[in-house]
């Protein structure tokens, strides 16, 4: 059943808008569906339309890639670059998800992590335990010693 749904989704993937792509990536990853053709299709379409992505689309897509351990270098790099443009539009959950996803994929992007840090410090009062935990875990995993961020978390 899952394979049939994945095949049907793949046939219609080019008709999806960016939110639809991000939602599909999130859904597939939530179910832990390891369907390489579908993920390759999602990655290809998302990369082609990366400029259309909002902060939430970017963080959800990064989270989905990390959860499935799908390492698509060009898409990951594009997510990092586009996230820098939207970092101040990110809510606390978006920041936590981005930090967690890049650390889970063992991808250290210095400019992105610095931007996440600055935005998280500015929005620390809006961060819940989950977001703070994700950001702190990402720092530890990536061996990032950002004292202003760590002081704000403490």
């Amino acid at each position: 059943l899952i394979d049939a749904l994945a095949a049907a989704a793949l046939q219609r993937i080019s008709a999806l808008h960016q939110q639809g792509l991000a939602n599909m990536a999130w859904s597939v990853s939530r179910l832990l569906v390891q369907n390489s053709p579908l993920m390759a299709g999602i990655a290809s379409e998302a990369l082609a339309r990366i400029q259309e992505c909002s902060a939430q689309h970017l963080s959800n897509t990064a989270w989905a890639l990390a959860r499935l351990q799908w390492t698509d270098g060009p898409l990951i790099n594009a997510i990092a670059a586009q996230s820098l443009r939207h970092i101040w539009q990110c809510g606390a959950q978006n920041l936590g998800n981005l930090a967690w996803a890049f650390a889970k994929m063992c991808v250290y992007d210095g400019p992105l992590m610095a931007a996440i840090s600055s935005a998280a410090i500015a929005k620390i009062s809006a961060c819940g335990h989950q977001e703070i935990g994700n950001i702190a875990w990402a720092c530890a995993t990536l061996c990032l010693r950002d004292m202003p961020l760590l002081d704000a978390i403490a």
Side-chain angles (χ1 to χ4, degrees):
L1 177 62
I2 295 292
D3 287 338
L5 289 171
L10 189 55
Q11 290 176 348
R12 294 172 180 81
I13 204 159
S14 63
L16 293 175
H17 48 78
Q18 192 56 43
Q19 183 175 348
L21 285 170
N23 288 350
M24 184 179 295
W26 180 87
S27 299
V28 168
S29 67
R30 193 74 177 112
L31 294 171
L32 293 174
V33 172
Q34 296 288 343
N35 185 293
S36 293
L38 179 58
M39 284 308 296
I42 291 170
S44 177
E45 287 295 324
L47 182 59
R49 296 192 240 153
I50 199 76
Q51 299 296 324
E52 302 168 24
C53 286
S54 70
Q56 184 169 355
H57 300 149
L58 294 164
S59 70
N60 287 354
T61 302
W63 183 89
L65 293 172
R67 181 160 160 98
L68 289 175
Q69 299 176 356
W70 183 269
T71 52
D72 182 289
L75 180 56
I76 292 165
N77 292 337
I79 289 172
Q82 191 68 5
S83 294
L84 284 172
R85 293 182 188 96
H86 292 285
I87 203 71
W88 293 103
Q89 297 165 351
C90 285
Q93 184 176 7
N94 303 134
L95 295 170
N97 285 350
L98 278 170
W100 178 86
F102 276 77
K104 179 75 173 165
M105 293 184 285
C106 298
V107 174
Y108 175 74
D109 184 289
L112 178 60
M113 291 308 293
I116 290 171
S117 174
S118 294
I121 290 168
K123 299 176 182 192
I124 199 72
S125 64
C127 291
H129 298 298
Q130 184 72 44
E131 293 84 17
I132 289 172
N134 283 349
I135 293 168
W137 180 84
C139 288
T141 300
L142 295 172
C143 299
L144 177 62
R145 191 175 172 118
D146 184 324
M147 291 315 294
L149 175 61
L150 297 175
D151 288 343
I153 290 172

